[in-house]
Amino acid sequence: MKAVEFHLPQDVDKSFIVFRETGDFFPAPWHYHAHYEFVLVNKSTGRRMVGDHIGYFDEEDLVFIGSLLPHVWVNDPVYLQRQAPDKADALVLHFTNDFLGEDFMNIPEIENFKKVLKLAERGMALRGETREKINTLIRQMPDMNGLQRLSSLFLIFDIMSVTTEYELLASPRFVQNFYYDSSERFKRITGYIMENFDKEISLSEIAAVGNMGVTAFCNFFKEQFRVTFVEYLTTVRIGHACKLLSQNDRNVVEVAYECGFNNLANFNRQFKKLKDMTPSDYRKTLHIHS
C-alpha cells in the first residue's frame, strides 16, 4: 500500500483551506500531505484508515490528522455502488505549520496547542462536547469572511488545547519519529523502546535508560505520553504486528512472538482491544486498500 503524496491547492487570498468534499463516495486514495487536517463527515458511512489504525466512520465523525500521516476514507458498498439515498459529504480543513508565518508556532500563546500537533502525528478521533463544538465551527466556516474564519480557527485551537475527549489512532511504531519531548532523555527512552520492544522490558530497565527512579519515570512518562509505559509498549508492539500482518508472509503465531508477546492468547486479546478486531480480520481488511 504505497501512499500517494498530495499537494493541495490554496487560494492566494486565504491563509488556510476549508472545502466541501461531496459525491457518490469519497474518491481520495491512500495518501498523505504536509498539511494538518480536520475531516468532518456530514453524510455517509464506512471505514477510515489512519496510519495503521482501521476504524469506522458515520455522520458527525471528526478526525484531526497530523502532517505527513497517511490516511484514507473508504465508503460502505452502498455508496461505492451508487445506491445510497444521499451523497457522501464531508467538510475538510487544512492548514500548515507556518500558515501565519515562520514564527507563528513560536509565540507563547500557542505553546499548549503545539503539544496537540504532536499528538496529531498519530491522528486524533474527537469525542463528546469537543466534537460538537468543533463541528459547529467548521460547518459555519464556508459562509464566513476571512477574519471570521481565522477567528473560528483560533477557537478550534483553543478547544483542542485543553480537551481530553479524543482517541489516538496510529500506533507509536507507525510514527517512529514521534516525540512529545525533544530532550535527549526522551530520545533515549523512545529509541530504546523502538529497538527492544520485541523483548521483555522491565520498568527498572527503562527507567535506568532515562536516568530516573521507577516512580519518577512512571509519573514523567504518564504526564508526557498520557498513557502508562505498559500501555505505550503494547501499542508499539501491536503497531509492528500490523506491519507484519500486512506483509502476508508470517502466520499469526509467528507475528505474536516477533512482537514481544509471550503467548498467543494475550496477543489476540491486546490486538482486539486496540484494533477492535482479531489479527486475522485485520489482515483481511487490508485487502480493501490493495
Side-chain angles (χ1 to χ4, degrees):
M1 295 186 296
K2 184 174 177 58
V4 178
E5 182 177 6
F6 274 16
H7 297 278
L8 304 172
Q10 183 162 333
D11 296 334
V12 295
D13 62 339
K14 295 180 176 63
S15 60
F16 65 97
I17 304 168
V18 181
F19 68 93
R20 170 167 265 109
E21 181 76 72
T22 185
D24 293 317
F25 53 86
F26 299 138
W30 176 241
H31 69 284
Y32 65 95
H33 41 69
H35 293 69
Y36 292 91
E37 177 179 51
F38 283 95
V39 179
L40 161 59
V41 176
N42 291 314
K43 289 286 184 181
S44 83
T45 58
R47 283 174 286 192
R48 52 170 158 75
M49 188 170 183
V50 179
D52 57 1
H53 175 90
I54 295 176
Y56 294 86
F57 71 85
D58 53 14
E59 296 177 11
E60 301 298 320
D61 188 64
L62 177 66
V63 173
F64 183 40
I65 300 170
S67 176
L68 305 181
L69 178 61
H71 55 279
V72 66
W73 268 240
V74 179
N75 292 103
D76 281 334
V78 66
Y79 288 91
L80 298 175
Q81 296 165 8
R82 295 177 170 83
Q83 297 175 348
D86 300 301
K87 297 286 188 181
D89 182 89
L91 282 166
V92 184
L93 188 161
H94 287 140
F95 64 92
T96 59
N97 206 41
D98 59 352
F99 78 109
L100 291 180
E102 293 183 2
D103 295 328
F104 173 65
M105 287 298 172
N106 294 323
I107 65 174
E109 290 84 357
I110 210 75
E111 192 63 32
N112 286 336
F113 184 64
K114 286 170 66 176
K115 297 176 182 178
V116 176
L117 295 182
K118 281 292 186 182
L119 291 173
E121 292 183 18
R122 290 176 60 186
M124 305 169 69
L126 284 307
R127 303 283 185 250
E129 291 185 9
T130 297
R131 182 173 69 178
E132 293 176 12
K133 291 177 181 177
I134 295 177
N135 283 0
T136 298
L137 288 167
I138 292 177
R139 287 195 175 106
Q140 295 170 346
M141 280 185 172
D143 298 321
M144 291 178 174
N145 64 37
L147 197 55
Q148 290 172 336
R149 290 168 73 247
L150 185 59
S151 176
S152 293
L153 183 62
F154 283 156
L155 284 175
I156 292 173
F157 287 1
D158 183 57
I159 294 168
M160 293 292 293
S161 295
V162 296
T163 187
T164 58
E165 296 179 306
Y166 61 83
E167 173 194 358
L168 295 180
L169 303 180
S171 68
R173 178 67 180 176
F174 189 91
V175 191
Q176 290 191 42
N177 294 326
F178 172 63
Y179 299 110
Y180 293 83
D181 188 306
S182 60
S183 69
E184 286 303 314
R185 170 180 286 168
F186 252 81
K187 288 182 181 179
R188 290 198 306 271
I189 290 171
T190 52
Y192 190 87
I193 292 170
M194 294 305 176
E195 291 174 7
N196 297 280
F197 67 87
D198 56 338
K199 309 178 185 69
E200 188 69 29
I201 305 177
S202 67
L203 276 173
S204 58
E205 179 183 352
I206 191 64
V209 172
N211 294 321
M212 306 171 75
V214 170
T215 301
F217 169 81
C218 290
N219 292 336
F220 183 53
F221 198 96
K222 183 66 179 290
E223 179 183 353
Q224 295 295 316
F225 284 84
R226 304 193 188 186
V227 294
T228 67
F229 166 69
V230 173
E231 290 170 334
Y232 181 88
L233 179 60
T234 299
T235 61
V236 171
R237 288 171 170 169
I238 296 300
H240 187 60
C242 290
K243 176 182 177 182
L244 297 181
L245 288 167
S246 71
Q247 294 171 348
N248 283 317
D249 59 355
R250 296 171 177 84
N251 62 44
V252 173
V253 176
E254 290 174 324
V255 168
Y257 283 96
E258 284 191 42
C259 295
F261 291 92
N262 293 326
N263 64 78
L264 183 60
N266 184 40
F267 172 63
N268 286 330
R269 182 169 58 252
Q270 297 298 336
F271 195 101
K272 189 166 186 179
K273 180 180 178 181
L274 286 175
K275 299 299 179 184
D276 202 29
M277 65 183 75
T278 67
S280 297
D281 287 340
Y282 180 86
R283 175 173 275 165
K284 293 175 184 177
T285 305
L286 289 174
H287 293 319
I288 66 173
H289 306 293
S290 58

